[in-house]
């Protein structure tokens, strides 16, 4: 085989490989590349509820407070889980795994309750004419909470 034929086969092989890789990327089921940022979600909620400037100010305060509470709960949960999983590597330390799991469950319950209360506070911000949009708001938020 001469040298030209050899290089032609190599080039054809590389082109075929590139086409296969391209086909995989194009035909593969597309996944969401990123999660919608909280700023965009806030803007969408403000639009759905048609909040005025004063309501927007209070809404941002409520959202920031809710975010802070959830972060605090997440940190407490991390502190609970650390010794629980570390017990796998260090069997000498006696920990009450059931107690840790129970406290973790209580934290999850607290998250749900804090979020429910947050939604109640948002609902209190609304005027009579905006309450009809609250259902759409809840549909959007529940979809984001449960399915993202």
């Amino acid at each position: 085989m001469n040298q030209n034929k050899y290089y032609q086969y190599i080039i054809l092989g590389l082109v075929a490989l590139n086409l296969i890789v391209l086909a995989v990327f194009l035909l593969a089921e597309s996944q969401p590349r990123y999660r919608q940022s909280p700023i965009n979600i806030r803007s969408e909620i403000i639009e759905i509820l048609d909040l005025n400037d004063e309501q927007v100010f209070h809404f941002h305060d409520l959202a920031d407070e809710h975010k802070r509470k959830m972060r605090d709960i997440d940190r407490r949960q991390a502190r609970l889980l650390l010794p629980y999983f570390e017990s796998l590597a260090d069997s000498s330390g006696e920990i009450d795994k059931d107690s840790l799991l129970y406290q973790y469950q209580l934290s999850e319950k607290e998250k749900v309750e804090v979020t429910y209360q947050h939604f109640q506070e948002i609902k209190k911000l609304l005027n009579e004419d905006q309450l009809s949009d609250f259902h759409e708001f809840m549909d959007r938020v529940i979809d984001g909470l449960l399915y993202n």
Side-chain angles (χ1 to χ4, degrees):
M1 182 184 321
N2 67 26
Q3 201 172 12
N4 284 339
K5 281 280 189 201
Y6 176 75
Y7 285 121
Q8 286 176 346
Y9 287 131
I10 288 181
I11 290 171
L12 282 173
L14 290 173
V15 168
L17 184 62
N18 281 332
L19 290 174
I20 291 170
V21 169
L22 183 62
V24 167
F25 280 117
L26 293 177
L27 298 177
E29 187 176 321
S30 93
Q31 299 290 325
R33 297 192 191 279
Y34 63 92
R35 204 168 178 184
Q36 192 173 19
S37 77
I39 309 278
N40 292 340
I41 292 170
R42 287 183 185 190
S43 298
E44 186 178 339
I45 291 169
I46 290 167
E47 185 177 325
I48 289 170
L49 295 175
D50 192 27
L51 301 178
N52 63 35
D53 291 340
E54 184 179 342
Q55 290 170 321
V56 168
F57 177 78
H58 291 296
F59 170 73
H60 283 298
D61 284 346
L62 289 173
D64 290 340
E65 179 66 17
H66 179 258
K67 187 176 180 179
R68 186 193 61 73
K69 287 179 182 178
M70 297 301 277
R71 214 177 11 234
D72 290 346
I73 295 169
D74 286 340
R75 286 184 186 127
R76 276 190 280 138
Q77 286 181 317
R79 285 193 301 267
L80 291 170
L81 289 180
L82 185 62
Y84 183 81
F85 289 115
E86 282 180 340
S87 70
L88 287 169
D90 182 16
S91 58
S92 65
E94 290 293 320
I95 64 164
D96 187 357
K97 291 180 186 176
D98 290 333
S99 175
L100 290 175
L101 287 177
Y102 179 72
Q103 291 173 30
Y104 188 87
Q105 289 172 337
L106 289 177
S107 296
E108 282 298 313
K109 179 182 176 189
E110 185 180 356
K111 281 183 178 180
V112 172
E113 291 170 344
V114 163
T115 302
Y116 186 88
Q117 185 179 38
H118 173 64
F119 294 151
Q120 283 181 323
E121 291 169 353
I122 291 173
K123 189 175 183 179
K124 288 177 189 175
L125 281 178
L126 303 179
N127 301 324
E128 287 293 323
D129 57 324
Q130 294 169 319
L131 286 174
S132 60
D133 298 323
F134 190 74
H135 184 73
E136 181 183 350
F137 158 73
M138 287 304 299
D139 286 345
R140 169 64 180 95
V141 170
I142 289 171
D143 183 51
L145 279 175
L146 300 180
Y147 303 113
N148 282 338

